[in-house]
Amino acid sequence: MADKDKNVSRRNFLREGVWGALLGGVGIGGGVVAVKSAKGDTVWQIDPDKCTQCGNCATYCVLEESAVKCVHAHELCGYCDLCTGYLEPEPPGLDTGAENELCPTGAIKRKFVEDPYYEYHIEEPLCIGCGKCVKGCGAFGNGSLYLQVRHDRCLNCNECAIAVACPSEAFKRVPASDPYILKGEH
Amino acid sequence: MKISSLGKIFCGVVLLCAVGAVFGAERFPPPEFDSGYQQPTMVNPGARSNVLEYVDVAVLVAVMSLTCFLVYKKRSRKGIFWLMLGSILYFGFWREGCICSIGAIGNVVLSVFDTNYAIPLAGLLFFVLPLVFTLFFGRAFCAAACPLGAIQDIVLLKPVALPVWLAGTLRLFAYAYLAIAVLMAATGSAFVICRYDPFIAIFRLGGNVNMVVVGGCMLLIAVFVGRPYCRFLCPYGVILRQLSRVSRKRVTITPDECIKCRLCEDACPFGAINRPTAEWAEGDYRVNKKRLGVNILLLPVLVVVFGFAGYLLSGGASRAHVTVRLADRIYAEESGEVDDTTDASVAFRGTGMTIAELYGNAAKVQKQFVFGSILAGALVGLAAGVKLIRSSIQWKRSEYEADRAGCFSCGRCFKYCPIENVRLKKLSEQC
């Protein structure tokens, strides 16, 4: 009988020891990871220097309408009349007709400023993030049009579906406190 | 007319620029405006606040606490059922299955291995809190807080009991899944658990077609086989099982002393009720002793065999990493195996990185994979071996008990116990 009690208490002792070790392990491990991660939260963003405008942003986002949109850095824009981000490569006519526009949704609005300059403005709700204009602007223009993840829309998925599909590894996690990679800033 | 002549000049400039290939340069200096035109400034909405994530953490703690109260104090299956529904609605359909403790494994592992990655605090809490709760109260998280478990639990209408050996063997998949998930996260290849979450498409009411089909099939199986994902795949469940073995409190089928009436014998659809064991006869004892000896000798063999299998699979597994995939592709293009290019290979050639550098990086990743795959394989082998050894040990039990590791605290068995019914005054003690 005494022997049996001894066995039971030994088993209990072992169990207590393992329990304590596990609790300690979970606590210490959690603490270490927490300290390491104290840098703050991150969000997804596109590095415009790496982006190749493959068009995946428009189709791979988990949102029906992609969280990636084109943005326009007006301070870099040449305000050209013949804008290769706005017009088809060989447009039937050089005006604002839909058949001349590169943007499949007509999201770029053109406004006369003064001769010979035109302002281009992205109508964000229409933009699907396909990057066609970005490609055009980057190929022959100043590169003032570029794609960015818009954080009013982005769900900040754990594993961004576009990042997985991105051929140029242009997607990266950036600090939530500085969630854009803007051209002209660096 | 004016436009077209301007256009011609423009085209000339464009051609010059294209020939000069001055990429990224300002080909057309930003103009000086005479009309007092004000340039619009870019408006960039800030990152969404993650207040909701902390609400999630609070809800998680509340649900787990309530589960413990319902399991240990109230002993109420009905309460747990409603709590499950609540979790499916909140964590599932409202929060769309994200953030989740199971998927958080990937984030935790990546934050350990990748110095540049920081796990959100809420994600870390989602990983750690259920572990702590399990150490105190058993698998309270699995009972009602996990929407994946809950959705399988509520569709379980026609439970079929699986043979113990089959359930035990299938459970090895969960160990393998955990090993693969950790390997993929540690190498920065993918968050496998999130990508192959079977129910996320259901919670989000849409998504990857393959995963919708997988989720549908899983739910169909769950009608007959209790919680198939939880028991045979869930990598987080593997961790919780082990912690639950030493938990402070444990679920008891009876509120008082077991009278071994056998009424609860088939109550558990998850095979988590252990029967009392009879003393072995002398002959049985000898046979089992021999079996135990063989199984102990088999352990190192299994570790080596599974480790070697891991080594064999490491090459294929490493293709999950984007660098290795890219290097493979570039190699195929360089050696003339393929004639076309891909977006990725074109993008790579535009970066200015040399092919040798790329191969070097890929080789580094592959080395990690070889090491990691062997380790992962060996661990799965260890799990298999330990399982074999455990199966040949006679555990002394004098009453019907909920299995410490396997019990989800779902509360189904309570009502099978006559003593429970006496407690609830549904039966009088004279009966």
Side-chain angles (χ1 to χ4, degrees), chain B residues 34 50 143 146 153 192 196 217 231-232 262 267 311 326 336 429:
Chain B
D34 302 326
N50 49 12
C146 177
D153 199 297
V192 177
Y196 300 107
C217 292
R231 285 158 76 198
F232 310 128
R262 300 181 55 194
Y311 170 74
L326 181 62
E429 276 186 60

Side-chain angles (χ1 to χ4, degrees), chain A residues 15-16 19 33 36-37 39 41 74 79 82 114-115 117 119 138 140-142 150 152 158-159 180, chain B residues 2 10 27-28 31 34-35 37 43-45 48 50 107 111 115 119 135 191 195 245-246 248 404:
Chain A
R15 189 176 288 242
E16 299 276 300
W19 186 85
V33 174
K36 225 183 126 259
S37 295
K39 287 174 269 186
D41 291 352
H74 285 93
Y79 286 79
L82 193 79
E114 60 180 63
D115 194 50
Y117 302 128
E119 181 198 286
F140 300 112
N142 286 355
R150 305 303 281 166
D152 51 340
N158 204 6
E159 187 174 54
Y180 292 90
Chain B
K2 198 180 164 206
F10 196 94
R27 294 162 177 137
F28 310 102
D34 302 326
S35 57
Y37 163 76
V43 183
N44 292 315
R48 288 186 185 198
N50 49 12
N107 297 61
S111 73
T115 44
I119 182 175
L135 276 174
F191 286 155
R195 203 179 289 181
R245 288 184 205 280
V246 291
R248 278 284 110 139
R404 272 179 172 271

Side-chain angles (χ1 to χ4, degrees), chain B residues 50-366:
Chain B
N50 49 12
V51 173
L52 269 184
E53 289 182 9
Y54 292 99
V55 175
D56 292 345
V57 173
V59 173
L60 176 74
V61 172
V63 171
M64 288 196 295
S65 308
L66 200 54
T67 308
C68 294
F69 174 73
L70 288 170
V71 170
Y72 292 108
K73 279 273 171 304
K74 285 273 160 194
R75 296 176 58 82
S76 160
R77 164 69 188 165
K78 203 184 262 176
I80 293 169
F81 181 83
W82 287 112
L83 208 52
M84 276 179 190
L85 274 186
S87 283
I88 294 173
L89 289 179
Y90 183 83
F91 291 116
F93 288 103
W94 162 241
R95 297 294 288 146
E96 301 190 323
C98 208
I99 190 169
C100 118
S101 301
I102 308 172
I105 296 173
N107 297 61
V108 170
V109 170
L110 183 62
S111 73
V112 169
F113 283 87
D114 182 352
T115 44
N116 294 320
Y117 176 71
I119 182 175
L121 187 60
L124 180 62
L125 288 172
F126 257 75
F127 180 75
V128 169
L129 287 173
L131 301 184
V132 175
F133 260 81
T134 305
L135 276 174
F136 281 92
F137 302 108
R139 300 170 70 172
F141 170 75
C142 301
C146 177
L148 282 76
I151 198 170
Q152 295 171 83
D153 199 297
I154 61 165
V155 299
L156 176 57
L157 298 174
K158 289 253 171 258
V160 175
L162 292 185
V164 176
W165 64 267
L166 180 62
T169 312
L170 287 175
R171 204 177 298 128
L172 279 178
F173 283 109
Y175 288 85
Y177 195 16
L178 176 65
I180 292 168
V182 169
L183 175 65
M184 290 299 173
T187 52
S189 307
F191 286 155
V192 177
I193 302 170
C194 299
R195 203 179 289 181
Y196 300 107
D197 180 334
F199 303 116
I200 200 96
I202 295 170
F203 292 143
R204 291 184 176 168
L205 306 174
N208 184 315
V209 180
N210 296 336
M211 290 322 291
V212 173
V213 174
V214 169
C217 292
M218 192 73 88
L219 273 190
L220 199 66
I221 296 170
V223 174
F224 306 101
V225 178
R227 294 191 179 220
Y229 184 80
C230 305
R231 285 158 76 198
F232 310 128
L233 281 172
C234 182
Y236 197 59
V238 169
I239 305 172
L240 294 186
R241 279 181 71 82
Q242 316 313 328
L243 297 187
S244 185
R245 288 184 205 280
V246 291
S247 69
R248 278 284 110 139
K249 284 177 85 72
R250 60 186 303 185
V251 176
T252 52
I253 302 168
T254 170
D256 205 344
E257 199 142 307
C258 176
I259 53 169
K260 283 168 253 177
C261 65
R262 300 181 55 194
L263 284 173
C264 66
E265 215 167 52
D266 301 318
C268 185
F270 314 119
I273 291 180
N274 293 325
R275 298 173 185 193
T277 47
E279 287 284 328
W280 273 341
E282 191 60 28
D284 281 355
Y285 185 73
R286 217 172 301 127
V287 170
N288 281 303
K289 206 167 165 182
K290 199 179 262 174
R291 224 179 84 191
L292 177 63
V294 171
N295 285 339
I296 288 176
L297 289 178
L298 211 56
L299 178 72
V301 177
L302 280 171
V303 170
V304 170
V305 167
F306 276 76
F308 186 66
Y311 170 74
L312 291 181
L313 292 172
S314 67
S318 70
R319 281 187 54 85
H321 196 281
V322 62
T323 308
V324 177
R325 259 197 325 265
L326 181 62
D328 272 5
R329 176 72 206 182
I330 295 293
Y331 180 78
E333 284 178 18
E334 290 298 307
S335 63
E337 278 174 46
V338 288
D339 301 326
D340 56 341
T341 56
T342 62
D343 282 344
S345 68
V346 172
F348 165 74
R349 290 176 201 277
T351 58
M353 187 197 261
T354 65
I355 293 177
E357 263 177 285
L358 175 70
Y359 288 171
N361 290 343
K364 241 180 261 168
V365 174
Q366 275 179 320

Side-chain angles (χ1 to χ4, degrees), chain A residues 4 25 37 48 51 56 76 87 90 103-104 109 154 185:
Chain A
K4 199 177 176 190
S37 295
C51 172
N56 283 354
L76 300 177
L87 293 167
E90 283 171 17
C103 180
K109 301 297 174 207
C154 177
E185 274 194 353

